[in-house]
Amino acid sequence: MSMDRRKFLNLGGLGITSFTMSGFIPSSSLQEAKNRGSAISKINPVVVSTWDAGLAANLAAWKIIGANGKALDAVENGVMVTEEEINCCVGLSGNPDRDGHVTLDASIMDHEFNCGSVAFLERIKHPISVARRVMEKTPHVMLVGEGAQQFAVAEGFTLEADKLSDDAKKSYEGWLKKSEYKPVINIERKQSVSQLDPSFMAPHKLSNGEWNHDTIGMIALDSFGNLSGSCTTSGAGFKMRGRLGDSPIIGAGLYVDNEVGAVVATGQGEDVIRVAGASAVVEQMRQGKSPSEACKFVVERIRRIKKEKAKDIQVCFIALNIKGEAGAYALHKGFNYAVHTNDGNKLYESSFVD
Ligand code: ASP
């Protein structure tokens, strides 16, 4: 195998999967190339995203990153595919809050600690792009609610109709029968990657008709050696009006430190926020852990905090370090993630505590 070829490693005992790039790049040449803004031939780009919807999102990201484009553009354009998907749980087709309105959260972060997010945003198709505008065009990191919407409209985004998708309407009507306040974060205990139709490129529903998840997160390394990340969600279905999850919170749902790595979370946002999840995983990688080990460490911390209640929630992280190694870990079985390298676009089943 050539020196710069990515290898698939199975870290036996831990059941952890990881990708690594064996070609060694002296940090001085890395820095030099970054300064020049030129792609280093030895840096193979990688895109990692959450869930099976990540396969389609990765393809869009790869069009950019595989052609020596920037990670930031890749992670924005990648998740836009999922935001736009009509039969999907992310974006305006997602489940509404308990008052019947879809409210969206999104965040984006680049390799230089620039970051932007929007939360409690209504009637805008691409919250991820609004988050990027917040990052690039305002002195702020986060805009919420009406202010975020005003900003989006001023930036030329279309205000869409305040209307539920057919699927969301059905789910909401079902939920209204009991109106039980129980925000939904699904746990797909039975699903395994081998049971998925390999041609399957879109988010799918569970047998009870509910979406299998509500979020897409994406992290990427480009051929300049720069990392970026994005995360976009309709949040927990039937949440209280005004509720924000982890996804728009930099350090919780998403974090990028170009010296170390990039991390994105999905699952029960409240429990990711509690431990500053994505940032905690980055710090574990900084201490020398592999991406999978770092995710595992923080998932286990959440498991300890939640005690017996851990069985009722799902929390998952994906991580990518600056060397191009990727990994993931979840509280329960059923989480999968999509990885695109020069070797193709594949879906992997995450290791888990259970
Ligand atoms: N983390 C998201 C939230 O809590 C939901 C998800 O990942 O499905 O809003």
Side-chain angles (χ1 to χ4, degrees):
M1 184 177 285
S2 70
M3 278 301 279
D4 62 348
R5 229 177 114 72
R6 224 167 284 280
K7 284 191 287 186
F8 182 77
L9 298 181
N10 194 337
L11 305 180
L14 293 170
I16 289 169
T17 53
S18 178
F19 299 82
T20 189
M21 181 171 57
S22 48
F24 173 71
I25 300 155
S27 57
S28 53
S29 30
L30 196 63
Q31 195 49 52
E32 219 175 90
K34 281 182 193 176
N35 295 343
R36 280 199 316 270
S38 62
I40 306 177
S41 59
K42 276 203 170 161
I43 296 186
N44 293 324
V46 188
V47 181
V48 190
S49 56
T50 57
W51 305 107
D52 43 1
L55 285 171
N58 279 2
L59 289 182
W62 193 258
K63 271 192 194 151
I64 295 169
I65 216 169
N68 287 335
K70 290 191 177 144
L72 182 65
D73 296 325
V75 297
E76 180 190 4
N77 284 274
V79 302
M80 281 172 78
V81 169
T82 326
E83 285 181 339
E84 213 162 315
E85 174 67 56
I86 203 80
N87 293 312
C88 181
C89 42
V90 174
L92 290 176
S93 310
N95 278 328
D97 63 16
R98 64 183 190 177
D99 289 8
H101 304 283
V102 177
T103 71
L104 305 175
D105 301 338
S107 63
I108 193 159
M109 189 160 185
D110 76 4
H111 60 290
E112 290 178 316
F113 297 97
N114 296 309
C115 45
S117 78
V118 287
F120 192 44
L121 177 64
E122 293 176 89
R123 299 174 56 190
I124 299 288
K125 200 193 270 180
H126 289 301
I128 196 64
S129 301
V130 187
R132 184 167 175 179
R133 300 281 175 98
V134 171
M135 169 175 115
E136 290 177 340
K137 294 201 162 180
T138 79
H140 307 301
V141 166
M142 192 169 195
L143 289 180
V144 303
E146 216 183 298
Q149 194 188 66
Q150 269 170 18
F151 171 71
V153 170
E155 283 293 310
F157 290 82
T158 306
L159 204 52
E160 308 289 340
D162 186 9
K163 183 173 160 282
L164 297 184
S165 67
D166 291 347
D167 283 331
K169 194 161 176 271
K170 234 184 272 163
S171 306
Y172 183 53
E173 280 162 3
W175 177 82
L176 276 177
K177 284 184 193 142
K178 277 195 188 161
S179 294
E180 190 184 10
Y181 182 58
K182 214 173 153 200
V184 181
I185 299 284
N186 295 304
I187 308 174
E188 300 172 286
R189 290 178 200 278
K190 292 200 184 71
Q191 185 212 17
S192 79
V193 169
S194 56
Q195 291 166 329
L196 288 174
D197 173 351
S199 65
F200 194 78
M201 295 290 271
H204 64 289
K205 289 192 158 185
L206 301 175
S207 49
N208 64 4
E210 282 170 356
W211 294 117
N212 63 348
H213 51 88
D214 313 283
T215 299
I216 180 155
M218 179 179 279
I219 44 185
L221 174 70
D222 63 26
S223 47
F224 304 97
N226 290 327
L227 292 160
S228 287
S230 62
C231 189
T232 179
T233 185
S234 57
F238 323 121
K239 59 198 173 188
M240 279 178 75
R241 185 142 179 83
R243 178 264 189 192
L244 309 184
D246 57 319
S247 308
I249 300 177
I250 300 296
L254 172 69
Y255 200 63
V256 179
D257 180 333
N258 217 50
E259 282 188 357
V260 180
V263 176
V264 74
T266 180
Q268 186 79 35
E270 284 74 2
D271 294 304
V272 174
I273 294 170
R274 234 180 277 292
V275 298
S279 159
V281 175
V282 166
E283 291 315 308
Q284 288 304 312
M285 288 197 283
R286 199 191 304 279
Q287 301 301 320
K289 287 195 174 59
S290 73
S292 296
E293 286 167 343
C295 294
K296 181 173 191 263
F297 186 91
V298 178
V299 168
E300 284 178 341
R301 180 183 292 166
I302 295 171
R303 166 80 189 77
R304 279 196 303 280
I305 293 169
K306 295 300 285 185
K307 301 189 180 85
E308 68 283 357
K309 287 189 184 143
K311 69 179 183 340
D312 303 325
I313 61 156
Q314 174 66 302
V315 171
C316 329
F317 293 103
I318 56 170
L320 175 63
N321 69 18
I322 191 65
K323 291 185 276 181
E325 298 166 337
Y329 214 85
L331 202 43
H332 302 295
K333 183 175 165 62
F335 174 54
N336 47 48
Y337 61 109
V339 182
H340 204 320
T341 65
N342 284 333
D343 293 338
N345 192 19
K346 294 175 196 150
L347 192 64
Y348 295 92
E349 196 168 353
S350 168
S351 300
F352 50 89
V353 182
D354 252 352

